[in-house]
Amino acid sequence: MSIQGCATTAGTRRYAARRASITAAGHFRQQQEWAVSSIGLGTYLGHWDERTDRMYQEAIRRAIELGCNVIDSAINYRFQRSERAIGAALKQLVDAKRAARDEVIITTKGGFIPFDNEPPRDPRAWIVDNLIDTGAARADEIVGGSHCMSPGYLDNQLSRSLENLGLACVDVYYIHNPETQLQAVARDEFNKRIRAAFAFLEEAAAAGRIGFYGTATWNGYRQPPTARDYLSLAELVGIARELAGDQHHFRVIQLPYNLAMPEAFTEANQIIEGELLSPLMAADRLGLTAMCSASMMQARLTAGLPDFVGATLRGLKTDGQRAIQFVRSTPGVTTALVGMSQRSHVEENLEVARVEPPPVDEFFKMFSSGE
């Protein structure tokens, strides 16, 4: 039996109020009518085994206890096992009345071919048997043998994600790295494909299967406009408005951002009404919520940060905590996503939620100090 409902204004605010005693001012942000934690738990890394499944379940339960109400995944993470771990953890919390469904924001992604439980011996045969022969996708819709975003495929994948998660509704459903399609198709064809995908997702939102949708990218929003795989936020919002007016459901983007990859904040590559803006500024201008992945660059920013970072981001014990604080303190960022499969990492990283982000003028000093 699926858990009914989705994240709501009342539920997320109730959750934030209940966690107010263990989090500092600035941890929860008001976005898309939700109270959203500034640190989210990601589920990308880890082996595809039962031990890691159990570790993720424990980590997710502990994160929600400590003030993290954003849990992020994708159907292809760990061969669908990460979604299933989220579903198991959330059911345990709801059954024990330690959290309610309307308090937690669950986000996932579709686009990459996920396989199931473990790598198949013959990936191509698996795709044929499970996707092409079943009618979920046509061969000409799949790019690079790994990516598809046709409406039929997204319908198939969303249904599978809902089943994995044990939910009736996903709060944010992302098209996963849509710029992958531009490796193989021309811009005009890409625009047709993204429009068809958005049309399906508007239907899914109307049917209550998702709350909002978005695009989770790696390169697309950080590239110069001349790059083959560049994505324009203004164009994507324009497509959503053409399909559904100002009440469209394209409301969230995800992109990498950290101390070593600052382009989301520093690269003025998005054109909004003739003005060049950074991706984060453009998202804010367009009413989009920005969630940032790779906050610690897969643990590579947990040691050896320059002294000026610690001098600005005070009150923290480790470089890993400072890396998270840098991301969540950046203007325009709603949530810093951090991969956490261990309870101890959750407890260390969520200590950041107890420390207020520095004032904006203090934050900006890091950029002049690092020159």
Side-chain angles (χ1 to χ4, degrees), residues 232-249:
S232 164
L233 279 168
E235 290 180 4
L236 294 177
V237 170
I239 290 170
R241 284 177 175 158
E242 289 172 9
L243 290 167
D246 289 340
Q247 300 306 308
H248 66 85
H249 294 82

Side-chain angles (χ1 to χ4, degrees), residues 80-349:
Q80 304 188 49
R81 299 180 78 123
S82 286
E83 285 188 334
R84 291 164 184 159
I86 292 170
L90 193 58
K91 185 178 188 305
Q92 292 157 8
L93 288 168
V94 170
D95 287 351
K97 301 188 184 306
R98 291 161 56 197
R101 171 65 185 98
D102 64 353
E103 298 176 338
V104 183
I105 299 162
I106 303 296
T107 75
T108 195
K109 315 173 189 76
F112 287 110
I113 292 171
F115 302 128
D116 193 351
N117 261 335
E118 61 186 8
R121 291 183 178 179
D122 186 341
R124 183 170 296 183
W126 190 97
I127 292 170
V128 171
D129 292 344
N130 291 275
L131 299 178
I132 295 174
D133 285 353
T134 63
R138 298 197 314 264
D140 64 337
E141 295 169 338
I142 299 173
V143 166
S146 66
H147 192 275
C148 183
M149 61 180 194
S150 66
Y153 179 74
L154 292 177
D155 188 10
N156 173 278
Q157 295 293 280
L158 174 57
S159 294
R160 180 61 64 88
S161 287
L162 290 170
E163 180 181 343
N164 289 340
L165 293 161
L167 300 178
C169 173
V170 169
D171 300 302
V172 181
Y173 190 80
Y174 297 104
I175 303 175
H176 201 174
N177 290 17
E179 66 268 35
T180 303
Q181 294 277 316
L182 287 164
Q183 297 173 6
V185 304
R187 183 70 60 170
D188 286 350
E189 175 61 21
F190 172 82
N191 288 340
K192 291 177 184 177
R193 293 185 179 195
I194 200 81
R195 179 184 294 273
F198 279 17
F200 163 72
L201 292 169
E202 288 291 348
E203 293 173 1
R209 298 170 73 195
I210 64 174
F212 299 107
Y213 65 93
T215 46
T217 68
W218 189 254
N219 289 326
Y221 294 132
R222 301 184 300 120
Q223 298 279 58
T226 54
R228 182 183 180 94
D229 57 351
Y230 169 79
L231 295 178
S232 164
L233 279 168
E235 290 180 4
L236 294 177
V237 170
I239 290 170
R241 284 177 175 158
E242 289 172 9
L243 290 167
D246 289 340
Q247 300 306 308
H248 66 85
H249 294 82
F250 176 53
R251 296 293 176 180
V252 189
I253 64 168
Q254 188 180 123
L255 73 170
Y257 174 67
N258 55 56
L259 279 158
M261 302 169 65
E263 298 90 352
F265 183 62
T266 61
E267 185 71 24
N269 66 350
Q270 295 289 325
I271 304 170
I272 309 294
E273 297 180 347
E275 186 178 0
L276 276 172
L277 302 175
S278 72
L280 290 175
M281 291 179 65
D284 182 67
R285 184 79 59 89
L286 293 166
L288 302 174
T289 296
M291 297 194 179
C292 291
S293 58
S295 296
M296 293 197 295
M297 207 174 177
Q298 297 181 2
R300 281 175 281 182
L301 296 176
T302 57
L305 296 184
D307 291 342
F308 69 83
V309 175
T312 302
L313 305 176
R314 295 183 289 272
L316 300 165
K317 301 173 184 176
T318 69
D319 277 349
Q321 292 175 340
R322 296 179 189 103
I324 297 168
Q325 184 74 311
F326 171 82
V327 176
R328 72 191 281 264
S329 301
T330 302
V333 173
T334 294
T335 299
L337 296 170
V338 185
M340 295 183 275
S341 62
Q342 297 183 37
R343 179 188 176 106
S344 60
H345 292 166
V346 168
E347 292 174 344
E348 176 183 333
N349 294 336

